[in-house]
Amino acid sequence: MNVVRSNAEMGAHRLLATGTVGLVPTMGAFHAGHHALMRAARERCDTVVVSLFVNPAQFDEAADLDAYPRDEERDAAEAAELGVDILYAPSVDEIYPPGFSTSVRVDGLSDVLEGAERGPGHFAGVCTVVTKLLHVVAPDVAYFGQKDAQQVAVLRRMVRDLDVPVELAIIPTVREPDGLALSSRNVHLDPGERRRALSLSRALRAAEEAIAGGERDAAAVATAARAVMNGVDPEYLALVDPDSFEPITTVDGRVLVAVAARIGATRLIDNTIVHTAATPGGAPTT
Ligand code: AMP
């Protein structure tokens, strides 16, 4: 596996690559969720590039950025083990050279749920860095996790709006056996917090069960979900359209249930997409 630090070097490797090129953008501290993205890329692509860049622009809290787990040596060993061809790990200066002043913003979609909690800069930071990575690596396919459902919706919109010549491949959320979604931030949870963290996936299961049991009122589904969070007060627990992130009032067709909560000092997010047979003619979804 080649470890590449500069955009120029990455570009030189890209010129030599033949066949399908897959890019897996990450912020490192790999876990089985990242591995699943890398495996999917390895299965399909001739050349697999994993980017490792802890993007300061998408952090809304300096303390969160400082505390973000970093272990490039271990990450590199795991990526090599999974057959990754290139680990592209640029410095902050390489991505944001002095004078950098451009931002890519997806209006509307970026302003609700995660955008509202983390501030308007969060998704602009994500879109700007992903745009740069897509330009430098020029992949045919870029891999993202459904775990970050709003990121997926924002990036899909950006790629569509700007005619970015890339296919987005979305990989299902990888979970611990007890349901906790894997996250680099889980390492910060002490044993008590680790137990309380289960309230997020438990709430999502409760929402799924309520819908499977015939509940179609979104507020009632949300109430059923909150009821099993055992005292954890979510920052949001919302039923929205998975593409527009508009709130829904009636469950009909595809619905995203998204939740975010602070467990101690650690902020966690999770989501599930529920499919119901769409009512002919559609139900009101305002
Ligand atoms: P991160 O390093 O946290 O920015 O994540 C890099 C990529 O891995 C993003 O596309 C995430 O959505 C994805 N990812 C993170 N956690 C999971 C998970 N538990 N299952 C699947 N994909 C994940």
Side-chain angles (χ1 to χ4, degrees):
M1 185 179 74
N2 286 299
V3 179
V4 169
R5 303 280 170 197
S6 75
N7 296 343
E9 209 186 331
M10 184 63 239
H13 279 283
R14 178 63 181 98
L15 280 177
L16 294 175
T18 51
T20 307
V21 175
L23 169 66
V24 181
T26 80
M27 298 203 299
F30 294 160
H31 50 63
H34 298 107
H35 298 164
L37 271 62
M38 292 179 213
R39 282 201 185 90
R42 183 67 287 164
E43 237 165 64
R44 175 167 169 200
C45 304
D46 299 295
T47 300
V48 176
V49 181
V50 171
S51 63
L52 195 175
F53 180 65
V54 182
N55 178 29
Q58 71 189 71
F59 283 80
D60 44 311
E61 292 171 14
D64 188 25
L65 175 61
D66 289 345
Y68 202 79
R70 295 164 202 246
D71 190 345
E72 189 188 308
E73 212 176 306
R74 186 176 63 87
D75 288 344
E78 292 181 9
E81 179 69 23
L82 288 164
V84 168
D85 299 298
I86 298 173
L87 184 69
Y88 165 47
S91 66
V92 172
D93 270 357
E94 185 72 9
I95 294 293
Y96 302 114
F100 188 94
S101 53
T102 300
S103 174
V104 180
R105 241 195 80 79
V106 173
D107 286 333
L109 252 182
S110 301
D111 303 322
V112 299
L113 302 189
E114 280 303 283
E117 292 294 335
R118 304 193 62 172
H122 171 67
F123 284 118
V126 170
C127 288
T128 304
V129 83
V130 169
T131 299
K132 286 205 62 147
L133 296 173
L134 292 175
H135 279 128
V136 173
V137 178
D140 300 288
V141 192
Y143 291 80
F144 294 91
Q146 181 58 34
K147 160 80 169 23
D148 295 283
Q150 194 170 358
Q151 173 169 282
V152 167
V154 168
L155 291 175
R156 276 197 197 287
R157 185 71 63 86
M158 178 187 88
V159 162
R160 189 199 74 179
D161 287 355
L162 298 181
D163 297 305
V164 183
V166 70
E167 175 192 336
L168 302 187
I170 310 305
I171 304 302
T173 301
V174 178
R175 300 177 179 280
E176 300 280 8
D178 63 5
L180 180 70
L182 293 182
S183 162
S184 303
R185 293 189 166 86
N186 291 353
V187 297
H188 297 312
L189 301 170
D190 69 26
E193 290 170 345
R194 173 68 182 71
R195 277 191 296 277
R196 292 175 64 224
L198 284 177
S199 60
L200 284 84
S201 54
R202 204 166 46 234
L204 298 177
R205 299 295 87 74
E208 288 171 350
E209 282 164 20
I211 294 169
E215 185 58 74
R216 292 292 177 268
D217 178 55
V221 173
T223 301
R226 280 171 186 266
V228 299
M229 293 191 74
N230 292 1
V232 170
D233 187 22
E235 283 183 353
Y236 61 75
L237 191 157
L239 279 76
V240 299
D241 178 281
D243 302 315
S244 70
F245 271 67
E246 298 277 349
I248 60 146
T249 53
T250 305
V251 177
D252 186 38
R254 275 168 82 236
V255 173
L256 179 85
V257 188
V259 62
R262 269 182 206 274
I263 307 291
T266 307
R267 188 170 182 282
L268 299 178
I269 61 172
D270 202 350
N271 70 86
T272 185
I273 292 187
V274 185
H275 302 256
T276 61
T279 308
T285 56
T286 44

